[in-house]
Amino acid sequence: MTRDNNIHIKTPDEIILMREAGRVNNLALAAVRELLQPGVTTADLNAAAEEVLRKHGAYSPFKNYGHPPYPASVCVSINEELVHGIPGKRKLQEGDIVSVDCGTVLEGYVGDSAFTAGVGEISPLARKLIEVVEQALSVGIAMMRAGNKTGDISAAIQQFVEGSGFHVVREYTGHGVGRSMHEGPQVPNYGTPGTGVPLRPGMTIALEPMVLVGTHRTRVLPDRWTVVSADGSLTAHQEHSVAVTEGDPLVLTVP
Ligand code: MG
Ligand code: MG
């Protein structure tokens, strides 16, 4: 498959550098998480992440990415917004659920991760959705073992999410990550066990389950970035960059 040509196996030294980028990325997201309360603007969240990145001599690969050029360092996606929400003047409100996706380039290597969290008291449905997306990521990571295939990861995520009564996105996928934010292989959040690309030690992949309450369908807003559920139902997104090793999967975007 041409789309999977761009796979780069990392050396142990490269994994160490990616672990460092992942650590800084986690620090940026932790700073954002501390700010989540009613009245804070999504631009404030972006500024907090940028401050951490700058302090560590890092920057976000999101800025100026794509067409039209993405204008910020993080994506902030609220409620029915699934991914790629652009930070701005919007204020967080009690009961919102907020997904924040951050990338870090440090010493030429990328860390990419995202979390979803509530603002103040959230509904039982929103709580369940966040639990499911967090567990879906764990279920996917557990499949990241040499000898498995990318389809095993995809199928495990899909089965877990659909078994929980929710839907997985079709148009957006996990992806290899390394010197570039998007490398091969693509890892969709749905698929068939035993298919796809065989996993090898040194592969580094950003897994990112995107879960929707009412439908798997999405649409893009006129800003040409923000992706929302087609039916306006709640959505959530969780992501870690993870290395395949000779043994257990190594999560890179953690403290
Ligand atoms: Mg991301
Ligand atoms: Mg990603």
Side-chain angles (χ1 to χ4, degrees), residues 99-112:
S99 144
V100 183
D101 192 345
C102 186
T104 293
V105 183
L106 183 70
E107 307 275 341
Y109 288 88
V110 177
D112 184 9

Side-chain angles (χ1 to χ4, degrees), residues 6-229:
N6 191 26
I7 296 172
H8 300 277
I9 302 296
K10 278 73 177 184
T11 65
D13 284 349
E14 287 181 293
I15 299 281
I16 289 169
L17 291 170
M18 289 194 66
R19 178 73 185 82
E20 194 56 23
R23 191 182 70 80
V24 171
N25 202 63
N26 179 269
L27 286 174
L29 284 178
V32 170
R33 196 186 274 268
E34 275 184 25
L35 284 183
L36 294 182
Q37 53 180 309
V40 170
T41 69
T42 54
D44 294 335
L45 305 182
N46 184 66
E50 280 188 351
E51 174 65 23
V52 172
L53 297 185
R54 206 172 20 242
K55 225 173 72 185
H56 288 84
Y59 65 93
S60 171
F62 295 6
K63 211 158 197 179
N64 297 316
Y65 183 87
H67 305 282
Y70 188 77
S73 295
V74 301
C75 301
V76 182
S77 309
I78 300 175
N79 298 334
E80 80 282 3
E81 298 173 352
L82 175 66
V83 288
H84 305 166
I86 299 173
K89 291 177 185 161
R90 181 171 178 176
K91 288 181 174 163
L92 304 184
Q93 294 183 12
E94 176 90 14
D96 283 343
I97 60 170
V98 185
S99 144
V100 183
D101 192 345
C102 186
T104 293
V105 183
L106 183 70
E107 307 275 341
Y109 288 88
V110 177
D112 184 9
S113 64
F115 72 89
T116 300
V119 179
E121 194 64 32
I122 61 173
S123 71
L125 176 63
R127 268 205 303 278
K128 184 184 174 200
L129 178 64
I130 292 173
E131 269 173 38
V132 166
V133 78
E134 287 174 351
Q135 287 172 31
L137 178 56
S138 298
V139 161
I141 290 171
M143 300 304 286
M144 282 196 52
R145 306 190 78 91
N148 284 351
K149 292 185 171 178
T150 52
D152 297 318
I153 304 171
S154 301
I157 291 171
Q158 180 179 22
Q159 283 165 21
F160 179 79
V161 171
E162 292 181 353
S164 305
F166 295 136
H167 304 266
V168 284
V169 76
R170 299 298 195 273
E171 296 93 340
Y172 306 93
T173 72
H175 50 91
V177 61
R179 283 196 167 274
S180 204
M181 177 164 64
H182 291 131
E183 300 183 346
Q186 287 192 327
V187 184
N189 292 301
Y190 68 101
T192 308
T195 65
V197 176
L199 300 179
R200 293 160 53 192
M203 285 175 82
T204 47
I205 296 173
L207 285 189
E208 45 184 321
M210 300 169 211
V211 178
L212 303 87
V213 167
T215 178
H216 68 78
R217 293 196 172 80
T218 61
R219 63 191 178 87
V220 180
L221 295 186
D223 67 18
R224 293 170 65 193
W225 277 108
T226 312
V227 177
V228 298
S229 58

